[in-house]
Amino acid sequence: MRQQAIALFRASFGTRPRAAASAPGRVNLIGEHTDYNGGPVLPVAIGARTTVAVGPGAPEVLEAVSTIDGRIVRVRWRDELPSGWAAYVAGVLRELWAHEVLPPDAGARVAIASDVPIGAGLSSSAALTVAAARALSLLAGQRVAPRQIAGIAYRAEHNHVGVRCGVMDQTIAALATAGHALLIECASLVTQAIPFRGRLLVVDTGVRHELAATPYNERVAECRAALLRLKVELPELLWLTAWPAAWVGRLKRALPQPLRNRALHVVGEATRTRFAAQLLRRSQLTRFGRLLYESHESCRRLYECSAPELDLVVTTAKRAGALGARMTGAGWGGSAIVLVRSRPEEGRLTAAICRSFRRAYGRDPDITPVRAGRGARREPV
Ligand code: ADP
Ligand code: MG
């Protein structure tokens, strides 16, 4: 990807880039839709990465190009937010300016190459914003800490592009360490690296979404509405995930549907995720896997964010004896993860999932074995 980003930069702008950085996609092991509810998540970085090569440009102007369409977008990034993908890069520039990493009249040229599939639930958007934030701060000659990079990337997507995302994707893309999952408590932003030696299959169903076009923002609004009602019961409640797990009966009485089911998922998923992190620390992969199945069921039934293709992958994996499986990355399509014990089992499960997927949909899903990879890094140019 590094070579591709550099080659695209040269072909588009007729000169060499001055700096480059890359950031990974991610899969979330467990903790679905808990992030924007102030709860825990447990992602790992994957091998697929986005590389962003950058160089100086005309004052106040962003020129950006991506291998996805090869078209150069040119905007005055402070005055207008471009439509489409370039908005993510413009958002990063605005945030770097807000943090005084860049001057207000900064100009930049940006070339993007990636092997993170877009809209597959593997967080191509955070791989892009984190890599862009890192590369553009290198261009400015400033050392920006990984946590700040994550914050800049988060606000670019949340405040400028307008996706009501949580902080998970940007945090794991910026902070991941190889061979570890990262437990992120999204309310306090306390993070903890936990060794993850499991083997995963990421099954991309090929069902594509753009978060802006799914019920994602609707779910965020439902959670806010549930929180407001629960505050009547418990005035000091700041986050939905802080609702006491033992008070399920009270929660059910306080909330009408569909808010009740949404809140039940969020509260249950927070408990499951913290327990899952403990099990991982003790290398209890079998019990950990069982929680993945429970999480999927909760996503499907209570949060209604699954898709038939995802359900089929999970059911097939379970029948074929996988340790665990669940949809990952918001849902409504995208990818599922399957936790497997050994390399031979990887092959057997891949074949089983392909067979049943082909029977149902007449095509193969894309299946990639994944180990926990590393976070954002500088790339040589
Ligand atoms: P994901 O689950 O992949 O993060 P999102 O809907 O959050 O899905 O983000 C996908 C959007 O991010 C794309 O529609 C595009 O605007 C932007 N994006 C991601 N990767 C790239 C890339 N390599 N080049 C240009 N834009 C990208
Ligand atoms: Mg995204």
Side-chain angles (χ1 to χ4, degrees), residues 66 68 85 88 112 114 117-121 123-125 128 157 210-211:
S66 166
I68 62 173
W85 59 263
Y88 290 84
I112 304 157
S114 178
I118 290 176
S123 186
S124 65
S125 58
L128 170 60
E157 180 159 355
E210 276 214 30
L211 285 185

Side-chain angles (χ1 to χ4, degrees), residues 235-280:
E236 63 272 38
L237 191 71
L238 287 182
W239 298 99
L240 207 43
T241 48
W243 182 263
W247 288 7
V248 168
R250 213 160 145 186
L251 182 149
K252 284 183 179 167
R253 279 193 298 279
L255 296 176
Q257 292 291 22
L259 303 190
R260 183 189 306 158
N261 280 353
R262 308 301 185 238
L264 281 174
H265 165 76
V266 168
V267 172
E269 185 76 353
T271 308
R272 257 191 303 276
T273 303
R274 292 188 184 116
F275 184 38
Q278 279 178 19
L279 293 175
L280 215 50

